[in-house]
Amino acid sequence: MNRRELLKAAAALPLAQAALSNAAFAQAPYPSRNVTMIVPFPPGGQADLAARPIAQALERILGKPVIVDNRAGGGGGSVGNAAAARAEPDGHTLLMTLSSLAVLPEADRLFDRPVAYEVSQFAPIARVLADPTLLAVPASAPWKTLQDFVDDAKKRPGQIPYGSSGPYGTLHVAMEMFAASAGIKLLHVPFRGAGPALAALLGGTVQAMASAPGTLKQQVDDGKMRVLANWGAERVKSFPDLPTFRELGYKDVEFYIWAGLFAQVALPAPIMTRLREAMAQAAKAPEVVKTFETAGSPVAYLDAPEFAKFVAEDSARLVAAVKKIGKVE
């Protein structure tokens, strides 16, 4: 073999190894060990609400344990998202995350920080939940209506504290979208997830919070919280008397908090197909449907192609909102 042939053979070697690796993935039984489902937030938020019933259903369908790993840290879930992006693309590390997935890299760029991950590193598998965000305040708060809240905020700019799941996470963006439209300034108090933010609202550390219906319903039913408005285009079934921001005159205030399952973009096609099939079954499982409906967040399943299109459209809208909000910290 001459030098030219040797170089050609060496250049082809990585491609051959990659092909063999993909072939091995395709032929090996999946899953071959425990599956880890990273949730980039502490327990108690929308991503965790989505993950646990789905993980139990997938465990039964796939025949291997599916372990929920609450890997909180960073702003709005960036640490867990980045960990999932770096994981081996073999289907044994999945990510259940929220709409902030696309927002956080843009926030990193806005502040000239190293970008923790890119959305292009992920392959959408299925959407699980998709709810409009609701504005919640303690039941003891003086505000009975959204107008009461806005009037008070105008009298005390920057003094009403609200909690979020982290800087530029879903709950932060929703509140700043509303504040900009209402012409008010609020005090942002970021937490490591929606669960801790919810606990802070119950404890009186903060006085307002945007959150999904599923994480608020029990607290409202128990008389511990009051909801003032709904970020959706329509009223939600679990809170039929709650007006939307649009109804109240805020035409550009619309925000949804969705939860979906992702894998790495390099995931072999046979494993992606298996996960899509498993998620289609899991979303219809009676125990999953019942759990979500009881929480006030009905299943909002989308298969991979439709979910990918949804993510692209929703992400474009959220990135535009972040750029408009700018450096509000």
Side-chain angles (χ1 to χ4, degrees), residues 11-325:
L13 185 57
L15 296 176
Q17 289 174 332
L20 287 171
S21 177
N22 278 336
F25 276 136
Q27 293 170 7
Y30 172 80
S32 59
R33 61 180 188 275
N34 293 356
V35 175
T36 297
M37 184 183 292
I38 293 177
V39 174
F41 303 97
Q46 184 79 340
D48 193 68
L49 171 68
R52 294 188 181 276
I54 290 292
Q56 291 180 5
L58 286 179
E59 187 167 307
R60 175 176 50 79
I61 294 164
L62 297 174
K64 292 288 184 181
V66 178
I67 300 164
V68 174
D69 179 4
N70 292 93
R71 203 172 301 188
S78 62
V79 169
N81 291 343
R86 293 190 302 266
E88 188 72 24
D90 59 6
H92 291 93
T93 302
L94 306 175
L95 175 70
M96 183 70 79
T97 194
L98 304 178
S99 44
S100 54
L101 179 73
V103 170
L104 299 175
E106 294 305 316
D108 284 339
R109 278 186 272 272
L110 185 66
F111 285 91
D112 297 319
R113 297 187 297 240
V115 178
Y117 64 89
E118 295 288 359
V119 179
S120 58
Q121 293 177 262
F122 294 101
I125 299 172
R127 191 182 73 179
V128 178
L129 300 175
D131 295 304
T133 316
L134 310 183
L135 175 58
V137 299
S140 59
W143 317 296
K144 305 299 183 184
T145 66
L146 183 68
Q147 192 60 52
D148 291 342
F149 184 89
V150 171
D151 290 345
D152 191 19
K154 286 183 175 179
K155 294 174 186 175
R156 301 186 291 135
Q159 294 185 42
I160 299 178
Y162 75 89
S164 82
S165 54
Y168 293 93
T170 50
L171 312 185
H172 179 204
V173 174
M175 286 296 289
E176 289 300 328
M177 183 186 290
F178 155 56
S181 180
I184 59 176
K185 184 172 178 56
L186 304 170
L187 176 62
H188 178 214
V189 183
F191 292 86
R192 289 168 58 89
L198 190 67
L201 184 63
L202 288 167
T205 304
V206 296
Q207 291 296 304
M209 178 182 171
S211 190
T215 56
L216 295 175
K217 182 168 174 54
Q218 191 61 54
Q219 308 298 339
V220 174
D221 289 348
D222 289 346
K224 297 177 181 178
M225 289 186 187
R226 179 184 304 125
V227 284
L228 302 181
N230 162 18
W231 266 267
E234 299 176 354
R235 297 193 180 196
V236 293
K237 185 178 179 181
S238 53
F239 292 90
D241 298 326
L242 183 66
T244 68
F245 278 99
R246 285 185 170 189
E247 289 177 63
L248 297 172
Y250 300 92
K251 302 300 182 184
D252 297 325
V253 178
E254 184 177 350
F255 191 93
Y256 298 87
I257 182 168
W258 53 259
L261 191 68
F262 293 79
Q264 301 73 24
V265 73
L267 188 73
I271 298 178
M272 171 59 82
T273 299
R274 180 71 183 104
L275 283 168
R276 285 173 61 187
E277 293 170 346
M279 282 298 292
Q281 294 179 56
K284 296 176 184 175
E287 65 274 17
V288 170
V289 172
K290 182 179 179 181
T291 299
F292 289 158
E293 288 185 347
T294 300
S297 286
V299 174
Y301 170 78
L302 284 180
D303 188 22
E306 295 79 16
F307 184 33
K309 182 174 182 292
F310 172 85
V311 169
E313 293 173 352
D314 189 66
S315 296
R317 185 170 59 85
L318 294 183
V319 167
V322 167
K323 290 179 178 178
K324 185 176 179 180
I325 291 167

